[in-house]
Amino acid sequence: QVRLLESGGGSVQAGGSLRLSCVVTGEMPIYMAWFRQAPGKEREGVACIGFRNSNSDYADSVKGRATISRDNSKNTMYLEINSLKPEDSALFYCAARSNRGCRLERNYYADWGQGTQVTVSS
């Protein structure tokens, strides 16, 4: 088990950018991901990444606007989203230890952070 701590959320105007961070306490997992959950909606996968930054996947809703990356020397994973839209507003979660590789389905991940709130105003 690892502990995950997200940061970097906040309030931003539409069209702006944010960079979220997830610091890992413990051994850096091979597969990690970002999820988000808006009020009244299911938690959805946003992006996932493998250990060496070479394997990643994105949800269609953020493809072309988001970049997931990690710095294993700093035990940190990042998610940068550009051209933010009001519909991007959600609680963003860091997830780790997928047992099926880089996946965007929540049931594959064993460990979760508490989330960081992103609010995008129009």
Side-chain angles (χ1 to χ4, degrees):
Q1 184 178 4
V2 296
R3 290 176 61 188
L4 307 172
L5 181 63
E6 304 94 335
S7 64
S11 297
V12 64
Q13 295 257 339
S17 300
L18 279 176
R19 189 193 197 202
L20 308 181
S21 299
C22 172
V23 176
V24 178
T25 300
E27 186 175 340
M28 198 63 171
I30 296 175
Y31 293 104
M32 299 185 68
W34 287 98
F35 285 74
R36 66 184 180 186
Q37 188 167 16
K41 294 190 176 181
E42 294 288 320
R43 191 172 300 188
E44 63 171 353
V46 177
C48 60
I49 190 167
F51 192 78
R52 301 197 183 280
N53 281 296
S54 58
N55 179 21
S56 62
D57 195 15
Y58 296 87
D60 288 342
S61 58
V62 300
K63 205 166 285 185
R65 300 189 295 123
T67 302
I68 188 171
S69 62
R70 58 194 289 168
D71 186 338
N72 296 326
S73 68
K74 296 182 178 179
N75 268 39
T76 304
M77 177 180 67
Y78 305 97
L79 179 70
E80 182 167 358
I81 308 181
N82 303 311
S83 303
L84 282 160
K85 307 173 184 180
E87 50 264 43
D88 291 317
S89 297
L91 191 59
F92 279 71
Y93 296 92
C94 173
R97 293 202 301 136
S98 162
N99 58 10
R100 294 287 182 92
C102 182
R103 301 294 294 263
L104 296 179
E105 295 86 3
R106 63 178 295 183
N107 52 299
Y108 292 119
Y109 291 88
D111 301 311
W112 294 84
Q114 294 299 307
T116 184
Q117 179 68 42
V118 172
T119 303
V120 184
S121 58
S122 58

